[in-house]
């Protein structure tokens, strides 16, 4: 599915607006971790369910890990998550589960109007069902998936809250010293501490910190603690 080009700041803004609207409607202040399940079910009024999505959509699973992690059935207002990520049976998958929810919320917010109706998509899907947006790890480089990932990151790890927690956990001096990744133990402590606060995976937290200019793989000449606007 082709999607219109969106700048990162546009996606960030969309996620921020959605979170603010949810908090106002629910009478709550922004806090951690972001209650993405309540946002999805209570605010957006989407149905959440679990299934073996490879079987559901007739997509062979070629490895030990599922490739199809989530799906959005727009006309049914239904989000499906692969049963392997169910936090009740696999609590160690909580970070991936929450990010997948945020990803599907991103599709709903950014892409639902692109799904016009139950038009066939070859033989992969049951023609009796509305066309879903099926999310595969192997297709994460596609623009539609990159946009949903960016939305999920901004929704679950809001810019200002990440900066506040980063500074609160390490202080300015330590935050600056970690950018060059010279000490892998300090780096892992940082990512684990932040990922626990936001209830996301360490990898998702690392990528978000890089997006916000808090962490550098290759340190620039001029380092900064606060993310660029």
């Amino acid at each position: 599915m082709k999607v219109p080009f969106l700048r990162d700041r546009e996606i960030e803004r969309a996620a921020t607006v959605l979170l603010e609207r949810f908090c106002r409607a629910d009478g709550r202040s922004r806090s951690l971790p972001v209650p993405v399940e309540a946002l999805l079910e209570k605010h957006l009024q989407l149905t959440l369910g679990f299934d073996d999505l490879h079987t559901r959509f007739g997509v062979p699973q070629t490895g030990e890990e599922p490739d199809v992690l989530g799906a959005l059935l727009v006309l049914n207002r239904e989000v499906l998550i692969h049963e392997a990520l169910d936090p009740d049976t696999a609590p160690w998958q909580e970070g991936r589960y929450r990010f997948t929810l945020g990803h599907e919320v991103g599709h709903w917010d950014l892409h639902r109007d692109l799904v016009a109706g139950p038009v066939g998509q070859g033989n992969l899907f049951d023609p009796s069902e509305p066309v879903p947006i099926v999310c595969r790890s192997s297709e994460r480089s596609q623009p539609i998936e990159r946009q949903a990932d960016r939305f999920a990151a901004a929704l679950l790890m809001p810019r200002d809250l990440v900066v506040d927690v980063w500074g609160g956990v390490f202080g300015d001096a330590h935050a600056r010293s970690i950018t060059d990744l010279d000490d892998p133990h300090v780096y892992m402590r940082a990512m684990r501490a932040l990922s626990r606060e936001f209830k996301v995976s360490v990898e998702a937290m690392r990528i978000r910190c890089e997006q916000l200019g808090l962490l550098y793989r290759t340190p620039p000449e001029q380092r900064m603690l606060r993310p660029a606007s």
Side-chain angles (χ1 to χ4, degrees), residues 44-77:
L44 297 179
Q45 297 185 335
L46 302 176
T47 300
L48 175 61
F50 297 90
D51 201 350
D52 178 346
L53 299 189
H54 283 275
T55 299
R56 174 71 176 264
F57 298 116
V59 180
Q61 182 171 333
T62 58
E64 293 184 3
E65 293 290 324
D67 182 37
V68 182
L69 298 180
L72 172 64
L73 281 71
V74 173
L75 299 183
N76 286 1
R77 303 183 66 92

Side-chain angles (χ1 to χ4, degrees), residues 199-210:
K199 287 194 176 180
V200 296
S201 69
V202 170
E203 179 67 5
M205 196 75 246
R206 177 191 66 76
I207 293 172
R208 185 60 172 159
C209 287
E210 289 182 357

Side-chain angles (χ1 to χ4, degrees), residues 61-96:
Q61 182 171 333
T62 58
E64 293 184 3
E65 293 290 324
D67 182 37
V68 182
L69 298 180
L72 172 64
L73 281 71
V74 173
L75 299 183
N76 286 1
R77 303 183 66 92
E78 183 178 9
V79 168
L80 295 173
I81 305 296
H82 196 286
E83 60 191 9
L85 300 187
D86 187 343
D88 289 337
T89 57
W92 59 90
Q93 295 279 24
E94 182 181 34
R96 293 183 71 192

Side-chain angles (χ1 to χ4, degrees), residues 178-182 210 215-223:
I178 199 175
T179 57
D180 59 14
L181 304 187
D182 283 341
E210 289 182 357
L215 185 67
Y216 296 95
R217 285 298 193 182
T218 303
E221 293 181 6
Q222 183 68 34
R223 297 174 184 169

Side-chain angles (χ1 to χ4, degrees), residues 184-198:
H185 299 293
V186 173
Y187 162 70
M188 285 308 300
R189 283 201 302 272
M191 294 302 100
R192 286 171 180 160
L194 268 73
S195 66
R196 284 195 298 269
E197 290 283 342
F198 290 88

Side-chain angles (χ1 to χ4, degrees), residues 133-148:
I133 298 176
V134 176
C135 304
R136 303 179 64 170
S137 297
S138 59
E139 297 178 353
R140 63 181 53 179
S141 63
Q142 297 297 315
I144 188 172
E145 297 303 311
R146 291 203 308 269
Q147 290 180 4

